[in-house]
Amino acid sequence: MEKLVAPSMLSADFAKLSCDIEMVNKSKADWFHLDIMDGVFVPNISFGFPVVEHIKKEAKKPLDVHLMIVDPDRYIDRFKQAGADWLTVHYEACTHLHRTLSEIRNQGMKAGIALNPHTPVESLTDILEMADMVLIMSVNPGFGGQKFIANTYSKINRLRKMIESRGLATLIQVDGGVDTTNAAELYKAGVNVLVAGSSVFKSDNPLATIEALKNA
Ligand code: DX5
Ligand code: ZN
């Protein structure tokens, strides 16, 4: 099974953003994970289009954009223009999720659905085929550096079974509190993509940490 690593740029040093982009380019990481927060869906505001466009200019790997915003339909074309390759919306933020995912795919991006810790994976029963990836939040979204919620393993196991029983190729991504101590167990539970913010950027050797996550 594919094992991918997507460093979350939320934990990068924004005064030296180009250096951190270059580090990810040189590393064994697969994607750039970009967290967009609106101060409404989550109690924090992160960054917007100018930063995404800057990262796109220098990134040599796909941009995986995680929208933590209400009514994301308003911005699908803007994120496409800014350079998103993957666009993930929250299940809890979409009234017409089928339409939203169709629109993301119509615009030529891969579509992801993110689930908050309290949202059961069984909510995806009638929409799973429309997603290229499911992002299981292992913390409450809004901030980096939080503690991993252990119930996430049960959600990953159940989702892996759903995906396999339908013969789908949907990727499972996990985001929040991921580090070198839980990476191997997460892959074993059925995760394809690890998102890691503080464990990468606050480590003494980010390149080595990314490699350790990749080979966990
Ligand atoms: C949290 C974001 C995460 C965050 C993860 O709302 O979605 O991508 O950057 O940070 P860590 O890895 O520090 O938990
Ligand atoms: Zn994220």
Side-chain angles (χ1 to χ4, degrees):
M1 201 155 54
E2 232 179 342
K3 283 160 103 180
L4 306 177
V5 174
S8 170
M9 302 308 286
L10 188 65
S11 296
D13 181 347
F14 284 81
K16 297 188 193 123
L17 190 51
S18 293
C19 293
D20 284 347
I21 297 169
E22 195 43 37
M23 184 280 291
V24 176
N25 279 337
K26 276 201 271 179
S27 77
K28 297 258 166 28
D30 298 278
W31 301 342
F32 286 80
H33 183 83
L34 307 187
D35 291 298
I36 309 296
M37 304 178 183
D38 67 355
V40 180
F41 181 71
V42 288
N44 194 12
I45 296 176
S46 58
F47 51 81
F49 299 112
V51 173
V52 178
E53 284 159 4
H54 172 84
I55 294 174
K56 185 67 181 181
K57 254 188 237 155
E58 299 184 359
K60 299 195 175 104
K61 299 175 182 184
L63 301 194
D64 164 37
V65 178
H66 174 194
L67 298 184
M68 284 158 274
I69 65 173
V70 296
D71 202 3
D73 305 64
R74 295 172 295 163
Y75 296 109
I76 294 172
D77 57 337
R78 292 286 309 275
F79 280 104
K80 172 66 185 173
Q81 281 164 33
D85 298 282
W86 289 78
L87 196 62
T88 295
V89 295
H90 265 265
Y91 174 88
E92 303 84 6
C94 296
T95 310
H96 302 289
L97 184 56
H98 186 283
R99 179 186 292 151
T100 306
L101 297 170
S102 306
E103 187 53 26
I104 293 172
R105 284 177 164 180
N106 284 343
Q107 301 244 359
M109 294 176 284
K110 297 281 192 188
I113 307 173
L115 300 181
N116 278 336
H118 73 277
T119 304
V121 295
E122 289 73 20
S123 309
L124 301 175
T125 301
D126 294 292
I127 196 70
L128 192 55
E129 277 76 4
M130 291 297 298
D132 300 293
M133 178 164 75
V134 175
L135 190 180
I136 299 194
M137 286 305 306
S138 38
V139 297
N140 286 292
F143 304 93
Q146 302 181 81
K147 191 177 174 294
F148 184 90
I149 297 171
N151 181 56
T152 307
Y153 289 110
S154 154
K155 294 179 73 172
I156 295 164
N157 286 325
R158 282 180 283 134
L159 179 59
R160 176 49 61 201
K161 284 193 190 115
M162 278 171 78
I163 290 170
E164 264 158 34
S165 69
R166 297 178 190 206
L168 299 172
T170 326
L171 297 180
I172 302 180
Q173 183 175 55
V174 66
D175 183 5
V178 173
D179 58 26
T180 52
T181 69
N182 53 22
E185 201 169 347
L186 288 166
Y187 284 133
K188 210 170 109 202
V191 169
N192 306 98
V193 191
L194 297 178
V195 175
S198 35
S199 68
V200 166
F201 288 99
K202 310 278 182 257
S203 91
D204 293 338
N205 187 342
L207 287 172
T209 302
I210 290 171
E211 190 163 358
L213 291 170
K214 184 87 183 165
N215 297 327

